[in-house]
Amino acid sequence: MIQDPLTVWNGPYPYDALAPAGVTPAYSHAQMAEVSFTLMTRRMMNPRTQKAWNELRDLQRRLLADFLLYDVDAAEEIADARAELAREFAAPTETPEAVRALAMPVEALTELTGELAEVVLDSAPPVSGQPLFGVFPPPSLIDSLIEFDR
């Protein structure tokens, strides 16, 4: 079970507060009545856990707490997603446009090439002005920047 990330609860969420005692949403209502014994024997009973236990013993409050949980089996969801991907890769489908383009006869393409106008490029403009970063530094400057351990 996954808790809704936008859950707002007055105080700590009951299942979070009782998680150290092993309480989960899978606990039956009868098992919830016995949780106080576990809390007391493990010396975990405090106002926070007492409030959470009381909330989960009350049927309406427990239903509200359970309503904010999603029953998600991650292993099953991942297996379903992998199976769907395997089906997609096994039988790839093309879009209708791609099917029409691939079905076009080669002769039609040859006719189209004759209709294309020849592309004429103008000559490149001359390069003028200073280079963007000035001139390359002389070797003497580079040598003065490098120091070796002696």
Side-chain angles (χ1 to χ4, degrees):
M1 301 290 266
I2 298 174
Q3 182 181 340
D4 186 334
L6 301 176
T7 298
V8 176
W9 199 266
N10 185 15
Y13 191 65
Y15 288 114
D16 292 342
L18 296 176
V23 175
T24 68
Y27 263 47
S28 69
H29 206 59
Q31 288 174 308
M32 194 57 65
E34 299 170 6
V35 170
S36 68
F37 180 72
T38 305
L39 293 172
M40 288 187 193
T41 56
R42 293 186 185 174
R43 295 186 178 154
M44 299 172 63
M45 188 62 85
N46 56 48
R48 181 176 176 236
T49 55
Q50 177 71 45
K51 182 177 186 255
W53 180 62
N54 288 338
E55 287 179 328
L56 292 180
R57 282 187 317 145
D58 179 52
L59 189 57
Q60 289 179 332
R61 294 293 289 174
R62 179 157 187 196
L63 287 174
L64 178 61
D66 289 351
F67 179 73
L68 299 170
L69 299 173
Y70 298 107
D71 189 12
V72 177
D73 183 0
E76 183 181 335
E77 294 292 327
I78 290 170
D80 289 347
R82 285 186 176 159
E84 179 65 25
L85 284 174
R87 281 192 299 276
E88 290 285 332
F89 286 129
T93 57
E94 300 291 342
T95 63
E97 295 84 10
V99 171
R100 282 194 302 274
L102 292 172
M104 185 177 284
V106 176
E107 298 81 24
L109 293 175
T110 327
E111 291 174 13
L112 286 176
T113 57
E115 295 178 11
L116 295 175
E118 186 176 331
V119 176
V120 179
L121 297 175
D122 295 333
S123 60
V127 178
S128 63
Q130 293 291 327
L132 183 61
F133 297 107
V135 295
F136 194 77
S140 59
L141 176 62
I142 294 174
D143 290 340
S144 70
L145 295 174
I146 299 173
E147 289 186 21
F148 294 98
D149 291 338
R150 297 194 172 135

